[in-house]
Structures are given as structure tokens and as C-alpha cells.
Amino acid sequence: MNEVNKSERLWNAQYWKVMICNFMMFFAFYLLTPLLPLYLDREFAADKDTIGIVLSGYVVATFLVRPFSGFMVDAFNRKKVLMVCLAAFFICFTGYLGAGTLLMFAIVRTMHGIPFGAATVANSTVAIDVLPSSRRNEGIGYYGLSNNLAMAIAPSAGIYIYNYTGNFSLLFWLSLIIAFIGFLCSATVKIPAREIKKMKPKLDLDHFFLTRAWLMAINICLFGLCWGVMSNYVALYGQEKLGITDGTGIFFAILSTGLVLSRLSGHKSLRSGNITGSCAIGVCLSLTGYTLFAAVLAPWAYYASAFLIGLGNGRMYPAFLNMFIKTARHDQRGTANSSILISWDFGMGLGILLGGVMAEYLGFRAAFWTIAAIQCAGTLMFLLFTKNFYLRRQIS
């Protein structure tokens, strides 16, 4: 009886290791994210649309590598794939230290997206492998807590360190070291043995993208676009429109608090199988947050919208991930993971690029009203079409 209970335990040792590895990877990444627009502005005097182009490079790279990442983790040894990706991920941080021109920085940032995109697919697929099948819905929801905790702490820590030292090089070194710790943690993970299914020799799109989930992919792409604009331009918006020079860290902390609380409160819905209901709550909360952010130019709205967007995305994203997994065969877990990330990254890349252009030529208010409208379109799309699309296509 004890062996059965142990085998069904959600918080097993391997799951903890995968969570810690994911936390370190995202912490290293988000330590720099809110500061890179400021770095490009101060070090290279880049204007807003140039910043958007440079920062969108890594998203383009992750988008391009994700289909092949899903194929690789389904077709080869997942632990080896994960370790290679994480090794390349931490090594890329050295490139920021040596990039002396805007062009070199753009190249390094774009190249960094390749191992980041592959590692996130590999690590999330390993997390599914080490979860007991009876706790998988719930475990997928909790897995995102490692991302959210990193997002809660890392931006605030990065901004605090920079305000205290004024040294971007120190931040690049810290990110490298933290990413290396994540790599060491991944080396200790033990993955259950599995039969690697030989792929068909012919070229098949399903090897690279979960075509059964095409409408869900379009829907999550819209939400990723909104997130891309919000997460990358909130610091500049706060400075220019509200005079908030040191509040971006607080914004991300509140955002991530909402994400964490939403994940903790939503696990019962996921465990009971009420995936679409949990997602509906999430997309509506996010819509409220984006609309408040665009409509009210005041510090209280700035921070309140962060909490609402966090609550919404904390419900929406794990529900969508479960929907992708449940429309895939067991031998397509890597493809399902890469497909949702491809869709999210494509939307986020568009958001980063379009957000910079709109901010430069139309202003921040127009940019944020646009994403509120896009979030509204995505919400209606889910409620009217995507929910029923998933229910028809899920695999028992």
C-alpha cells in the first residue's frame, strides 16, 4: 500500500529537481528582461522601435527551434537533450559580456533564444514524465509555479541590484552562474525508462507541430502577443507616463503574486478535470487587467492591473497546456509542449516588435489599448469557439 502511495506522490524527488532546474533557468532569464530596454537605451542610445527589433530576435529564434525541440525530445533520450540545451543556455550569457556594439548584442540575444527555446520544451516534457498519471493535470499546473516564482523575484532583484550598483556586467555574470546551477541540477534528474518510438521516415508535420490543436494555437498566440507588449514595455511606460522610476520590480512582484495565488487556488479545478472552466475564468480576469491598465493612467491602476493579469494568466496558461497535452498521443508529449510554446512565442514576438513600433509612432496609450482589444478578441474566441473545439478533439 505504501509503495502505491509513493508511486502516486505528486511532490516526488525527481519532480522537485525538475522544478528547481526550471526555476533557475527562468530566474537567470528574467533577472535581465526588464532591464534590457534600459540597457540598450543607455549603452547604445537605441530608439524604441530598434529596441523592439533587437529584443524580438530571441523570440524569433525560440519560435524557429521549438518545432525541432519537440521532435528531438520525442525521438531521442530526453535527459541528454535537456543537458545539452541547458549547457548552451548558460554559455550564451558570456556573449552579453563581450557584445560591444548594438549589432553584436542583437546577434547574441537572437542566438540565446535557440537553447532557451529547446530547454523549456525539454524540461517541461521531463516534468510530465516524472509525474504520476493520476496527478498529471494538477502537476502541470503546479509546474508553472517555478516560472512564476522566478518572475516574482528575479525582475525585482535585477532592478534592485542595478539601482544599487549601476553595473550591468554584474547582472550578466549573476545570470550565467544561476543558469549553471540549473544545469548541475538537471544532471541529477532520473527519468523513467521509456520506449522511443521510431519516427516515420516520411516528412510529417505532426512530428513538429500538433496540428490537431490548431485553433487552440491561434488562441494562445493572441494572449502571448498581449503578454509580449506588457512585459517588455511596462518599465518605459511607467517612467514616461507615470514618473515611476523604481516601481517596475514591484509591478512584476505583484504580477507574479497573482500568478502564484491563481495556480494555488486553481489546482482543484484542474485535478477535477474542469479545465475549460478554469481557463474561462483566467481569460476574463486577464481582460479586466489589460483594460484597466489601458483605461486608467494612475499608479493604483498600474499595480492593480498587474495583479489581475497575473491571476488571469495563472489560470489560463496551465489550462491551455493541459488541453494541448490531452489532444496529443502519449508519444507526442514533446510535440504538444513545443506546440503551445511555439504559439505563445510567436504571439509574444509579434507583441515585442509591434509594441516598440506602436510606442514610437503612436504612443504607449495606443499600444496598450490595442492589446486590450486583442485580449478581448482572444477571450471571445475561447468562449465561443476554442472551448468546444477542444472538447471535440480531446483524447481520453
Side-chain angles (χ1 to χ4, degrees), residues 41-293:
D41 179 42
R42 295 178 185 180
E43 296 295 318
F44 302 112
D47 54 28
K48 295 184 184 69
D49 52 345
T50 302
I51 290 172
I53 293 169
V54 171
L55 295 183
S56 64
Y58 91 89
V59 183
V60 173
T62 58
F63 172 74
L64 293 175
V65 78
R66 285 263 164 82
F68 303 99
S69 305
F71 171 77
M72 293 292 287
V73 297
D74 282 337
F76 299 98
N77 184 291
R78 283 178 182 159
K79 182 174 179 179
K80 291 180 180 178
V81 172
L82 175 62
M83 292 191 67
V84 169
C85 294
L86 287 174
F89 176 70
F90 84 77
I91 290 170
C92 278
F93 281 106
T94 60
Y96 297 122
L97 293 163
T101 66
L102 183 61
L103 177 61
M104 282 300 299
F105 187 93
I107 292 170
V108 170
R109 184 65 174 169
T110 300
M111 293 299 294
H112 205 176
I114 296 174
F116 179 72
T120 50
V121 172
N123 203 63
S124 58
T125 307
V126 168
I128 295 170
D129 283 348
V130 300
L131 282 168
S133 58
S134 63
R135 309 296 296 275
R136 191 163 290 144
N137 288 359
E138 187 182 5
I140 290 171
Y142 277 128
Y143 175 78
L145 281 174
S146 53
N147 306 5
N148 302 151
L149 288 172
M151 288 173 60
I153 302 169
S156 302
I159 291 168
Y160 174 81
I161 292 168
Y162 176 72
N163 287 339
Y164 185 76
T165 65
N167 190 338
F168 279 107
S169 295
L170 175 62
L171 290 166
F172 294 146
W173 274 110
L174 284 173
S175 291
L176 189 155
I177 293 168
I178 292 165
F180 179 67
I181 294 171
F183 167 77
L184 293 178
C185 184
S186 71
T188 67
V189 176
K190 296 179 181 178
I191 304 174
R194 68 184 180 94
E195 180 183 354
I196 299 176
K197 187 175 180 179
K198 291 184 179 180
M199 296 295 178
K200 299 174 185 178
K202 67 175 183 178
L203 185 64
D204 190 344
L205 184 60
D206 270 343
H207 292 169
F208 307 103
F209 191 84
L210 192 65
T211 55
R212 284 177 56 83
W214 65 269
L215 187 60
M216 296 187 296
I218 294 172
N219 210 163
I220 199 74
C221 177
L222 294 176
F223 298 137
L225 190 153
C226 299
W227 185 270
V229 177
M230 175 67 67
S231 61
N232 282 271
Y233 297 103
V234 66
L236 291 174
Y237 173 80
Q239 284 187 6
E240 290 191 11
K241 297 298 182 182
L242 297 172
I244 299 174
T245 57
D246 57 355
T248 309
I250 299 172
F251 180 93
F252 278 100
I254 294 173
L255 177 75
S256 299
T257 299
L259 284 165
V260 171
L261 291 176
S262 190
R263 300 258 183 172
L264 292 174
S265 63
H267 75 95
K268 290 183 180 179
S269 293
L270 293 177
R271 190 173 184 181
S272 66
N274 187 21
I275 296 172
T276 56
S278 184
C279 191
I281 294 171
V283 296
C284 290
L285 282 169
S286 291
L287 174 59
T288 305
Y290 283 114
T291 304
L292 177 64
F293 191 95

